[in-house]
Amino acid sequence: MPLSSPHIVFPATATEPAVTLPAIGQGTWYMGEDRLPASQEADALRHGLDHGMTLIDTAEMYGEGGAEKVVGQALAGRRDDAFVVSKVYPWNAGRDGTIAACERSLARLGIETLDLYLLHWPGSIPLEETFEAFERLREQGKIRRFGVSNFDAERLGALESLPGAADCATDQVLYHLGSRGVEVDVLPWLKARGLPAMAYCPLAQGDRQRNEVITAPVVEAIAAEHGVSAAQILLAWVIRTGAPTASDDERPTIAIPKASTLAHVEANAEALSIQLTADDLARLDDAFPAPDRPVPLDIV
Ligand SMILES: NC(=O)c1ccc[n+]([C@@H]2O[C@H](COP(=O)([O-])OP(=O)(O)OC[C@H]3O[C@@H](n4cnc5c(N)ncnc54)[C@H](OP(=O)(O)O)[C@@H]3O)[C@@H](O)[C@H]2O)c1
């Protein structure tokens, strides 16, 4: 990856060196459900790897393991080209259940180690147990890093007192132009610790306001000015820098759009090179302002 390309950095942990990744990766929700042939979905993911979108996000939930199998197909013969993320269901996230769930995920993926393993959303099993299991998985070489997903600021604050919290790598949250609540408290929590955020539904999929966002006149106008699509503007917006400088391409957030057509994959990779101007950002802020106080976390 050229250093000038927008990227995120997972900082070094007690056991792993820092990792730099392109600021757009690939999602897999709804893959492995026979909506399309699995080979077509795997081809799309491989195409994404070829175009530099190296982080692949999956979960035991997606297609009840079907998406992990598609990712496994995509990775055949090229494991080292990808940074693989999976997630454990909250009801599997106990001391032993987490280990068993991870082993099932690894078997479906056909790999030895996950690069990042997340608790998919908060559940009733104490987080202490999940973190203890993550630590054991790390010692066993089955995961390199761990983190959480769908945690609001209050839950992030609560996890700080747990052993292992210092190595929590990220919070994967819903974030797109039409849903900016995480800017108030979740993104600042991550930023204060030097951690990247992972933005799911960056194209507003699953949101009742999807059409409102992707067909908003201001989004379409900016897209036309840049000669790109509205979807590409949404991605460029998610990975924008807070205060862009010419020399710093490190981004606070990685977007993980899911795409199953090659054209969508290419468009998403191209969004890495879109430079939104201060004027573009101001116009988007006017149309879709961030809230000025904490709001409940959006989820799908
Ligand atoms: N942690 C969590 O709780 C959680 C929740 C939801 C999602 N996620 C993760 O985040 C990923 C992304 O979220 P998502 O899949 O819900 O939604 P998304 O990425 O916002 O949107 C996906 C939709 O956008 C379409 N699309 C992709 N690229 C496009 C482009 N360039 N132009 C126009 N349309 C395009 C896709 O169509 P095609 O498939 O036809 O290309 C698909 O219908 C998921 O796949 C999953 O890995 C995590």
Side-chain angles (χ1 to χ4, degrees):
M1 184 185 66
L3 260 186
S4 59
S5 183
H7 56 265
I8 57 148
V9 177
F10 283 110
T13 66
T15 53
E16 289 294 320
V19 175
T20 300
L21 297 169
I24 298 183
Q26 307 186 73
T28 62
W29 193 18
Y30 292 122
M31 288 188 178
E33 295 187 359
D34 294 330
R35 292 169 189 240
L36 290 172
S39 58
Q40 183 180 328
E41 294 171 337
D43 279 349
L45 292 172
R46 271 195 293 271
H47 201 57
L49 292 176
D50 293 340
H51 284 74
M53 294 188 293
T54 51
L55 182 146
I56 298 182
D57 178 78
T58 190
E60 63 172 332
M61 181 189 118
Y62 304 156
E64 289 302 327
E68 289 179 327
K69 288 185 187 159
V70 170
V71 175
Q73 273 190 47
L75 294 180
R78 56 185 307 182
R79 164 67 184 96
D80 292 343
D81 292 348
F83 182 98
V84 183
V85 185
S86 194
K87 313 185 200 78
V88 59
Y89 271 130
W91 48 87
N92 284 342
R95 244 177 223 108
D96 298 323
T98 308
I99 311 278
C102 180
E103 286 170 351
R104 289 194 296 270
S105 289
L106 289 172
R108 286 188 290 261
L109 288 158
I111 62 176
E112 308 274 309
T113 308
L114 282 169
D115 294 293
L116 177 62
Y117 198 34
L118 306 178
L119 172 60
H120 206 148
W121 64 89
S124 55
I125 293 178
L127 192 58
E128 216 161 346
E129 280 195 35
T130 311
F131 273 27
E132 207 182 297
F134 283 160
E135 193 51 57
R136 267 166 64 207
L137 285 167
R138 200 158 68 155
E139 282 162 18
Q140 294 168 359
K142 291 176 182 154
I143 66 172
R144 295 203 165 90
R145 283 183 165 73
F146 61 83
V148 295
S149 178
N150 295 300
F151 270 45
D152 62 14
E154 196 182 329
R155 286 186 190 275
L156 287 173
L159 73 69
E160 284 177 41
S161 59
L162 298 182
D167 276 349
C168 177
T170 191
D171 188 8
Q172 184 179 121
V173 286
L174 186 151
Y175 184 44
H176 59 74
L177 181 63
S179 176
R180 302 183 58 175
V182 292
E183 286 179 32
V184 176
D185 42 19
V186 172
L187 301 189
W189 189 94
L190 291 165
K191 191 173 173 201
R193 287 155 186 80
L195 303 176
M198 294 182 73
Y200 76 70
C201 299
L203 297 170
Q205 192 296 119
D207 195 302
R208 62 187 182 289
Q209 291 175 325
R210 174 176 165 94
N211 286 337
E212 212 174 286
V213 177
I214 208 159
T215 64
V218 64
V219 176
E220 290 188 335
I222 293 171
E225 287 155 25
H226 285 266
V228 300
S229 70
Q232 289 174 303
I233 293 298
L234 294 189
L235 293 180
W237 180 86
V238 165
I239 65 163
R240 72 203 182 283
T241 49
T245 67
S247 59
D248 185 5
D249 283 302
E250 186 174 332
R251 307 294 160 117
T253 304
I254 180 167
I256 48 168
K258 172 261 187 180
S260 36
T261 70
L262 302 187
H264 281 167
V265 168
E266 285 166 25
N268 296 348
E270 282 163 16
L272 277 168
S273 25
I274 298 171
Q275 287 279 355
L276 294 175
T277 65
D279 181 59
D280 296 335
L281 294 174
R283 287 155 69 198
L284 292 167
D285 271 345
D286 276 350
F288 294 97
D292 58 6
R293 58 182 66 88
V295 294
L297 191 69
D298 260 356
I299 52 170
V300 286

